[in-house]
Amino acid sequence: MASSSCSTCMMNKSSFAPRVTNCKKELMFSYSSLVDKLPVHRNSFSLSADVSKSRLLLSHEKSMKWKQTQQLPLRNSIQCQAVETQSTPSFTIGKKFQLDDVIESQQFDRDILNAIFEVAREMEKIEKHSPGSPILKGYLMATLFYEPSTRTRLSFESAMKRLGGEVLTTENAREFSSAAKGETLEDTIRTVEGYSDIIVMRHFESGAARRAATTAVIPVINAGDGPGQHPTQALLDVYTIEREIGKLDGIKVGLVGDLANGRTVRSLAYLLAKYQDVKIYFVSPGVVKMKDDIKDYLTSQGVEWEESADLMEVASKCDVVYQTRIQRERFGERTDLYEEARGKYIVDQNVLRVMQKHAVVLHPLPRLDEITVDVDADPRAAYFRQAKNGLYIRMALLKLLLVGW
């Protein structure tokens, strides 16, 4: 949501005549006509009398930063140069949230991420100190889960109830809903939106969440769509990294395990690309390597990445070791490939010994044997704190989608 420009302008009492030359816009306009012609209120426009620090300020939508290009007498005109124009979203309390649905990580930019994290911190205070909050009183959330879930479904339901809302739920919609009778996803969504104000859906097919959002009038949150994406997990992962490490720029992250089928690592990679000087290591068995679309995206965004077969070496370099399970349900009848991948990379005491003191181990859970139980006692084992943070992120998203900032 940011753009930059290089423009020159002349402020004059008598004229307003924009002219474009090469990559520069030369504008002649009067101070009085400027206020009338720019889309701002008079009380939101200011021009400093100090030419060396001249700035043109536009409220709400854009802020323009100006610098002087030449010393001139402050008489009837001022010559200045616009060096940067920044558009920033409005996060004013009561304003509508910028997104209608939460479907994929690419929807977010740094400004929105920072604002969501700020709301999540407020949600943590509510959860700890203000039980029975009425923020979402009168709202109904429907959870449609076509795949098993513990943390995601329960954290969303807990989030809704802690903010005063109510929940309509189906735990296994694939088997215990009309989908078992052959009903289309679109028909299900059209029906359920008549009973609720927001839908949280997990589905076994990649792209199903987008189909649901296209069909529905009410907001839809993607709680995981097959091997596609899991954006709310990625949000809580980035939120956790910031809280645990203290920064998001300049970090090194090792993504370990089932990178081909893991929707969590895909969504996380998209979000990490929003930050500066991040390096991502991919550590996985050959049969479940990260897919090329993610690698290509990271390259296009200038994010450095590297594939490695040495977990110990990667763990010694990283701020975050993000372990994932090998997902047996994604292999179908190819149990031989599953057995080939399973158990190859395990976070244990040996890995902890080479990790840096400030580094953390994360895991979207559930875990099988890819993190040994004795790791839990180490303060760098942050995965249960990570799961708790999911409550605050989901409280924030429900609040933002239903009532705004």
Side-chain angles (χ1 to χ4, degrees):
M1 287 196 174
S3 61
S4 62
S5 62
C6 183
S7 315
T8 61
C9 65
M10 285 290 297
M11 291 186 180
N12 186 284
K13 284 187 176 181
S14 60
S15 60
F16 186 93
R19 177 165 53 91
V20 178
T21 305
N22 296 329
C23 293
K24 295 183 178 180
K25 294 182 181 178
E26 295 183 3
L27 306 178
M28 296 289 295
F29 53 91
S30 70
Y31 177 88
S32 59
S33 65
L34 172 67
V35 179
D36 295 329
K37 292 183 181 293
L38 287 177
V40 296
H41 299 293
R42 289 177 182 271
N43 61 9
S44 66
F45 170 82
S46 66
L47 181 66
S48 70
D50 183 352
V51 185
S52 65
K53 297 179 181 178
S54 293
R55 295 194 307 161
L56 179 64
L57 301 179
L58 306 183
S59 69
H60 306 308
E61 295 300 326
K62 291 187 178 181
S63 60
M64 294 186 179
K65 299 179 182 178
W66 303 79
K67 73 177 182 182
Q68 180 193 8
T69 59
Q70 183 179 351
Q71 289 284 351
L72 292 174
L74 185 59
R75 293 180 180 174
N76 292 338
S77 63
I78 300 172
Q79 184 176 21
C80 57
Q81 182 178 18
V83 294
E84 184 178 4
T85 302
Q86 291 183 329
S87 300
T88 56
S90 174
F91 302 128
T92 307
I93 292 176
K95 292 288 186 180
K96 184 180 183 298
F97 187 40
Q98 281 73 11
L99 306 178
D100 294 320
D101 310 281
V102 174
I103 305 301
E104 61 184 12
S105 291
Q106 297 96 306
Q107 293 176 269
F108 301 94
D109 62 23
R110 285 188 66 149
D111 289 332
I112 293 180
L113 289 172
N114 291 337
I116 291 172
F117 295 163
E118 185 61 37
V119 176
R121 285 186 279 272
E122 292 301 314
M123 295 300 105
E124 183 172 357
K125 293 176 185 177
I126 289 175
E127 188 261 344
K128 285 181 166 55
H129 306 298
S130 303
S133 170
I135 291 176
L136 296 183
K137 184 176 181 180
Y139 287 95
L140 275 169
M141 176 186 74
T143 55
L144 274 175
F145 279 65
Y146 292 82
E147 284 190 326
S149 171
T150 300
R151 277 150 298 278
T152 303
R153 183 174 64 86
L154 291 181
S155 64
F156 265 116
E157 293 180 4
S158 176
M160 191 67 178
K161 287 180 175 291
R162 287 180 183 277
L163 292 176
E166 296 294 335
V167 176
L168 304 173
T169 185
T170 175
E171 183 177 357
N172 189 350
R174 190 175 189 175
E175 185 177 350
F176 298 114
S177 76
S178 291
K181 304 174 184 177
E183 183 176 55
T184 67
L185 175 63
E186 286 76 10
D187 283 359
T188 299
I189 294 299
R190 289 189 183 98
T191 301
V192 173
E193 72 175 347
Y195 309 145
S196 58
D197 302 294
I198 189 168
I199 296 173
V200 178
M201 189 183 80
R202 170 168 291 183
H203 203 276
F204 50 88
E205 291 181 357
S206 180
R210 184 175 297 282
R211 287 169 53 200
T214 301
T215 302
V217 175
I218 64 174
V220 173
I221 298 178
N222 180 8
D225 58 342
Q229 285 210 43
H230 196 348
T232 68
Q233 178 69 46
L235 288 171
L236 74 91
D237 292 340
V238 173
Y239 182 66
T240 300
I241 292 170
E242 184 181 51
R243 294 189 60 157
E244 297 285 336
I245 304 300
K247 63 178 183 177
L248 290 165
D249 291 319
I251 63 173
K252 296 180 179 179
V253 179
L255 303 181
V256 187
D258 191 344
L259 306 185
N261 301 305
R263 56 196 172 206
T264 62
V265 290
R266 292 176 58 82
S267 290
L268 178 56
Y270 280 122
L271 284 193
L272 290 174
K274 312 292 182 186
Y275 298 91
Q276 300 297 315
D277 301 320
V278 170
K279 180 167 184 179
I280 301 177
Y281 294 89
F282 299 128
V283 183
S284 67
V287 295
V288 286
K289 295 174 69 173
M290 180 59 80
K291 294 178 180 177
D292 289 340
D293 64 328
I294 296 294
K295 298 175 189 175
D296 292 342
Y297 178 81
L298 294 175
T299 299
S300 73
Q301 299 300 306
V303 178
E304 186 179 359
W305 59 269
E306 178 182 327
E307 289 187 311
S308 174
D310 192 337
L311 175 58
M312 298 290 280
E313 180 184 7
V314 169
S316 69
K317 299 176 180 178
C318 284
D319 303 287
V320 178
V321 175
Y322 191 97
Q323 175 70 293
T324 64
R325 70 183 175 92
I326 305 298
Q327 300 184 38
R328 183 171 187 171
E329 65 270 24
R330 308 296 180 201
F331 285 84
E333 296 180 356
R334 294 302 305 271
T335 56
D336 56 322
L337 295 179
Y338 170 73
E339 293 299 333
E340 179 184 338
R342 179 174 175 265
K344 188 167 185 179
Y345 295 108
I346 296 176
V347 174
D348 55 16
Q349 291 296 325
N350 293 324
V351 173
L352 289 179
R353 275 191 283 272
V354 302
M355 286 177 59
Q356 301 174 72
K357 295 298 182 184
H358 74 276
V360 294
V361 179
L362 298 183
H363 193 304
L365 302 176
R367 108 181 120 178
L368 301 181
D369 54 3
E370 63 275 359
I371 299 179
T372 57
V373 176
D374 59 353
V375 170
D376 296 356
D378 193 291
R380 292 170 293 180
Y383 29 88
F384 292 114
R385 298 192 294 274
Q386 175 188 3
K388 179 69 174 183
N389 288 336
L391 173 64
Y392 310 134
I393 286 292
R394 287 161 179 148
M395 288 173 72
L397 290 175
L398 291 173
K399 186 260 184 188
L400 290 170
L401 286 165
L402 288 171
V403 300
W405 293 103

